Amino acid sequence: MKHAFVIASLLLLSACGFRPLYEAGGSADAMRDHLSGIEVAPIADRLGQQMRNRLLDRLGSEGTPEYRLEITLEQASEGYGIRPDAAATQEQLTVIAHVKLINLNGEELVFEEDMRSVTSYDLVLSDYAILSRREDSARRLVLELAERIHRRLALYFTKAKETP
């Protein structure tokens, strides 16, 4: 019974036009070639270094750069959950990545996009604990954004390959 359901699900997925991003038949190698041709420009601050390192790992920048990826990060926090003494009990942290992909052949802007990631954490009495939570939350948000940027780039090159 389970096998019939799995087979029927696969048939329905193939009928709806669904295609994996890294499908078989050599497209994974072609995708890797496109992604390795992206140069990641330095990103300011420690969070930017962490994002850049994750992107370099994911993109495998080994080839001759054809594109340059420029990213600027913006971070904001807001307290909420106010106690009777007017102190916040939680903080919401937002990291916004302004992403530009530039074709190095002619310095043409290929695409520009803003990506946002949000998390929240409890505020406690220890200043060190709050600082540690804030830094850890920011690091996790930046790494999540790096993964989203990687997927967005892969999607761009998949769609560019489809259009004549």
Side-chain angles (χ1 to χ4, degrees), residues 49-95:
Q49 291 173 352
Q50 292 172 343
M51 175 181 267
R52 184 172 188 267
N53 288 340
R54 174 61 62 97
L55 285 168
L56 289 173
D57 287 344
R58 296 292 284 147
L59 296 174
S61 302
E62 314 164 340
T64 304
E66 298 175 35
Y67 299 91
R68 182 176 57 246
L69 184 64
E70 295 179 354
I71 301 170
T72 55
L73 294 175
E74 188 179 318
Q75 183 177 327
S77 60
E78 179 182 2
Y80 62 96
I82 307 300
R83 296 189 313 220
D85 64 352
T89 60
Q90 290 190 328
E91 190 169 78
Q92 179 174 316
L93 179 65
T94 304
V95 176

Side-chain angles (χ1 to χ4, degrees), residues 5-73:
F5 176 73
V6 170
I7 291 172
S9 298
L10 291 174
L11 290 174
L12 286 174
L13 279 177
S14 65
C16 73
F18 172 79
R19 283 192 356 235
L21 192 57
Y22 297 102
E23 64 184 315
S27 68
D29 292 333
M31 180 67 63
R32 209 171 298 120
D33 290 343
H34 281 298
L35 294 177
S36 68
I38 298 175
E39 167 189 271
V40 182
I43 308 170
D45 299 327
R46 178 69 184 139
L47 287 176
Q49 291 173 352
Q50 292 172 343
M51 175 181 267
R52 184 172 188 267
N53 288 340
R54 174 61 62 97
L55 285 168
L56 289 173
D57 287 344
R58 296 292 284 147
L59 296 174
S61 302
E62 314 164 340
T64 304
E66 298 175 35
Y67 299 91
R68 182 176 57 246
L69 184 64
E70 295 179 354
I71 301 170
T72 55
L73 294 175

